[in-house]
Structure formats: C-alpha cells, structure tokens
Amino acid sequence: MADTVVPSQLPELKGRNAYVSSPSGLRPAKETTFREWVVANQIGISLTTLSMLLALHNLYPSLRPYTQPFFQLSYYNESSNSYIQGWNDVYFVISAAIALTGIRAIAIEWVLQPLARAYGLKRKQSVRFAEQGWQAMYYSFIWGVGLYLWKTSYYWGDFAAMWSQWPARPLSGLMKWYLLVELAFLVQQIFVIHVEERRKDHVQMLSHHIITSALLSSAYIYAMYNVSNVVLCLMDIVDFLLPSAKILKYSKFETACNVGFGLFMGTWFITRHIIYPMVCWSVYYDLPRELTYGCYAGSTGEFISAEAPNSFAYMLGPYFSLDNPICFNPTLKWMFLSLLLFLEGLSIVWFSMIVRVAYGVVCGGNAEDTRSDEEDEAEVEDQTASHVPAHLAARDGAPTDAIETGNPPGLDRRRSNGTASVRARGLGRVPFDPSDRKALLGRIGCEKPT
C-alpha cells in the first residue's frame, strides 16, 4: 500500500527537498527561475505577442490607428515619397525588437544547433556555433543594406558632405527602416545579455550597447542620418567577420579560421582605428564649417536664429515634437563627439587584448589551456554537489553556481535551454583578465589545435 502523509507530518516535510528519479538515481529537483523561463520560451513569447497585436489589428478596425505603427513605418509623405520622424517610431522599434528575439531563437534552436549537431559538434560547441551563426547572418544582411545606402549616397567618399544638407528632415523609407531596425537590434541585445548567460565582458558590452543606442536615437531625432549610416557600416563589418571566423573554428577549419581571424584584425584596425577617427575628426573640423550654428524650424529646416537658448531645454525640444526648433551649437557638437570617442576608447581596449592574444598564438606561447574540448565538456557536466561540502550542496537543492557566486540558482547557465550549469564565475573577477587566455581566445579568436 502506498505511504500516506497525514497532516501531522506536513511541518516535517516543509524544509525538505523534492526529488525526481533519473538514470543515476534520485537528484534534487531544480527550480526554474524567471530568467531561465524567458530564455527557454523566447520563441513562444515573441510569436504570441506579435500574433496578439496582429489579431487586434485585423479583428478590430477601430484599433488600427494604434496597432498600425507596430507593423509599418509611420509619417509617410506621399507628395515627396519620403518619411519623417515621430513618436510612433518607438512602436516599430518595440515590435522589431520582439521579432528579432523570435527570429534569433528560431534560427539558433531550429536551424543552427541541429546543423551543428549533425556536423558532429558537442552540446557546448553547438550552442556557441549557433550563437555565432546568428550574429553572422544578421550582420551580413544589415551591413549589406547599410553599405548600399552609403555607396549610393552623395556623401560616399566625402565626410564633409555628411553635414552639408543638415537639418533635412525627410528620409527615404529604406534609410528609416535601416536605422530603426539597427536600433531595435541594440535594444534586443541589451535584453539578451541580461536574460542569458553573463559574459566576462558584460559591463563593456552593456556600456557599448547603451552608448550606441543613445547615439543612434539622438542622431535620428536630430536628422543626422548620414553619419549614423557611416558609423554603423564601420562597426557592422567587424561584427560580421568575427563570428564568421569563429564558425570556421568550430567547424575545425583551423587554417581558414586563422586567415579569417587575420582578415578580421586587419578590417578592425582599418575601420575602427583609421576611418572611424576620420569621422570623429569630421565632427570636430567639418561640422562647424559645413553648417551654421543656431536654430532652425523643425518642420521646414529654415534658419531662425544664430544663437541657441541659454538653457538646456532646447536640446530636448526635437524629442517631443517635430515642430519644435532644432538647434545645434558647440555644446551639442562636443556631446556627440564625446560619445563617439567613448566608443573608440572601448574599441582600443578590445583591440589591445585581441593583439595580445594573437601575439601569444603567433609566438607559440601558452595562449590556451592544454585541456581538450572533451575535458572541458566533462568539467561542465561533472559539476555536481559531490564537489561541494555536504551542508552547502543540500541547501534547498542549490546548484554549484549559486553557491560559489552568490547568484540565484541557474543565473549563469548555458544559453540554449537553461538546464546545464557551467563553471561558476566569481563576481570579483576583472573582465578581460590577461591571465585567463583560454576564455579570452575562445571569445575573440581561434583556438589552436590541442
């Protein structure tokens, strides 16, 4: 007869762990955190949200003025066949970020991970292969769009021309779509790095995404589409080449990976440390010479006043209404330039670490740990409570990462399904630790055969 729990026994059972059966015996049941649930259900959450918006749009015509901005670009001028900015663009960015989240999850879980598994990669490598594959897919497409817009523009090869027509408010549909999708991708990336496994360079990446988002949104509102297009093109080509080189690494094409990594380093240096500083110089030197400081009518772009108001309120005027005057003066120039130079500073820090790792590989130094991928895999999968003191391992069934890092259970788990724990990362470790070369090499370069 099955055991029966009487009410008097309930207090004794309150503090006990729940156990589930497994091939290796009884194990503590693991609670799923909200973040793990979000990671595991990105496809369902994204598709459900977009489906609900689409259903409201089609079933209730009276709501279409409110739902339409989620699905198409707003503020179209039929007479000039162009668009302008407005607050409804925020809704398009939101829906695009949700769509990108779903597309990314579908590409990783349904296409790239099965492809990696079919190729013979292990679980850990297949997840990394899929993540890099998505990055390569997105950046190859969006960089192509941006390069087309730049190549067919009047400012191709002439940075001074970027400022000659400011403040021209109208922009083409393709340019508007391109800038808003890029902004949506940055928003989606901020979401991803918070809900998925925290990387060693979390602070640097978060700073980069926030600064870039602030720059792109401000430049969009201030009608600086041209410089946004150029800067994004210079950044995106590098973000395409690095994942491509890493895909070759996971595919065991070591020679091709080394060639791709060399191409990535050369392109990084040219685009981010030669051409990008030229753009910054253009902001400093060409901008005051090509446009006249002062205030312009927001809707027509006609010159109003040679001096901007003394208060800072004029800077926020274009954010609230297109009819508000749009002003530009040395203060705004230095604000934009400071943000651009901050991004250049981050690029210098990253590139110095890349060069240091590449130098170690070329010189044949100990650029990586001698353990093979199989050993790394075993280290991940064998991380159980047997390596932890008994009184800690039994505490509420907490996994190792929660005990060693102080984070809630499961916060530092593998990205794909949120079930396999990874090696704990101490909260006090400094990002880009040069001594941790294997992790850095696996993050930015090609590992040597072991």
Side-chain angles (χ1 to χ4, degrees):
M1 182 179 295
D3 295 336
T4 304
V5 178
V6 296
S8 60
Q9 294 176 310
L10 289 178
E12 296 182 15
L13 299 177
K14 267 189 177 182
R16 297 183 183 179
N17 296 325
Y19 283 80
V20 294
S21 60
S22 66
S24 59
L26 295 178
R27 292 182 180 178
K30 297 179 180 179
E31 295 183 2
T32 301
T33 65
F34 176 75
R35 188 161 74 168
E36 289 178 319
W37 178 83
V38 171
V39 172
N41 295 276
Q42 292 182 73
I43 297 175
I45 295 172
S46 303
L47 295 183
T48 300
T49 303
L50 293 177
S51 298
M52 290 175 61
L53 287 173
L54 190 60
L56 290 174
H57 181 76
N58 291 322
L59 296 177
Y60 299 95
S62 60
L63 296 178
R64 287 181 184 176
Y66 305 100
T67 57
Q68 189 168 339
F70 286 99
F71 300 105
Q72 69 180 47
L73 299 176
S74 303
Y75 307 109
Y76 175 66
N77 188 335
E78 189 174 357
S79 60
S80 60
N81 191 28
S82 62
Y83 291 83
I84 56 176
Q85 316 99 312
W87 273 105
N88 283 350
D89 295 335
V90 174
Y91 302 116
F92 185 86
V93 171
I94 293 173
S95 63
I98 295 173
L100 285 169
T101 301
I103 294 171
R104 176 182 180 272
I106 290 172
I108 288 177
E109 296 182 21
W110 295 359
V111 180
L112 296 172
Q113 270 193 278
L115 180 64
R117 290 287 187 145
Y119 189 74
L121 298 181
K122 295 184 178 180
R123 175 193 55 80
K124 185 178 179 181
Q125 290 180 323
S126 67
V127 172
R128 292 177 178 174
F129 177 93
E131 292 171 352
Q132 300 305 315
W134 161 249
Q135 295 281 331
M137 289 168 57
Y138 170 78
Y139 282 113
S140 62
F141 171 75
I142 205 68
W143 178 73
V145 175
L147 184 62
Y148 169 78
L149 289 168
W150 187 12
K151 186 69 173 62
T152 56
S153 70
Y154 63 88
Y155 50 90
W156 172 258
D158 184 6
F159 290 147
M162 292 189 299
W163 319 103
S164 61
Q165 297 186 14
W166 190 87
R169 286 291 197 178
L171 71 165
S172 67
L174 182 59
M175 177 66 84
K176 179 166 185 171
W177 180 89
Y178 166 74
L179 295 176
L180 294 182
V181 168
E182 286 276 44
L183 183 57
F185 182 79
L186 289 169
V187 172
Q188 188 261 346
Q189 285 293 293
I190 294 174
F191 165 78
V192 165
I193 66 176
H194 277 90
V195 300
E196 296 190 347
E197 178 194 356
R198 177 163 294 197
R199 301 289 190 176
K200 287 177 180 264
D201 58 351
H202 175 83
V203 175
Q204 287 85 349
M205 291 302 298
L206 179 62
S207 301
H208 177 273
H209 293 331
I210 291 177
I211 295 297
T212 306
S213 300
L215 262 174
L216 182 56
S217 58
S218 298
Y220 178 76
I221 291 171
Y222 272 83
M224 295 181 178
Y225 322 119
N226 303 336
V227 67
S228 299
N229 177 210
V230 174
V231 170
L232 289 171
C233 280
L234 296 178
M235 296 290 180
D236 289 347
I237 180 59
V238 171
D239 293 328
F240 160 68
L241 292 175
L242 177 57
S244 300
K246 296 191 74 174
I247 289 172
L248 293 173
K249 178 187 74 173
Y250 296 129
S251 302
K252 305 297 191 299
F253 296 111
E254 296 293 340
T255 301
C257 173
N258 292 331
V259 173
F261 185 60
L263 179 62
F264 153 74
M265 288 186 62
T267 304
W268 179 302
F269 180 76
I270 293 172
T271 56
R272 297 199 177 187
H273 302 306
I274 294 180
I275 302 178
Y276 184 84
M278 293 170 61
V279 176
C280 295
W281 174 256
S282 179
V283 176
Y284 171 77
Y285 182 80
D286 294 328
L287 187 150
R289 289 163 176 78
E290 294 295 328
L291 61 87
T292 303
Y293 284 148
C295 293
Y296 299 77
S299 56
T300 62
E302 297 179 358
F303 188 75
I304 300 176
S305 172
E307 293 185 4
N310 294 328
S311 64
F312 284 93
Y314 72 93
M315 297 182 184
L316 303 177
Y319 287 84
F320 295 106
S321 174
L322 191 68
D323 295 327
N324 290 333
I326 179 170
C327 304
F328 210 90
N329 60 11
T331 301
L332 278 169
K333 183 195 80 171
W334 281 108
M335 291 178 65
F336 277 103
L337 185 57
S338 298
L339 293 176
L340 290 171
L341 292 176
F342 179 84
L343 293 180
E344 175 65 10
L346 281 178
S347 294
I348 291 174
V349 172
W350 281 325
F351 191 67
S352 65
M353 301 308 301
I354 293 171
V355 170
R356 192 177 308 178
V357 172
Y359 178 78
V361 174
V362 171
C363 294
N366 296 325
E368 67 161 339
D369 192 29
T370 56
R371 293 171 299 180
S372 65
D373 291 329
E374 288 79 9
E375 292 171 332
D376 285 340
E377 193 80 15
E379 181 177 356
V380 173
E381 295 175 351
D382 291 340
Q383 195 179 51
T384 62
S386 61
H387 301 289
V388 184
H391 68 285
L392 294 178
R395 186 182 59 189
D396 295 331
T400 318
D401 56 353
I403 297 168
E404 296 183 3
T405 65
N407 291 331
L411 288 190
D412 289 324
R413 300 187 180 205
R414 196 60 251 164
R415 292 186 172 200
S416 61
N417 51 24
T419 56
S421 62
V422 299
R423 283 175 288 181
R425 297 177 179 176
L427 294 179
R429 297 186 63 178
V430 179
F432 296 109
D433 182 4
S435 63
D436 194 359
R437 292 189 175 183
K438 178 176 175 60
L440 181 60
L441 193 64
R443 178 80 165 130
I444 64 175
C446 309
E447 297 180 15
K448 296 192 302 181
T450 55

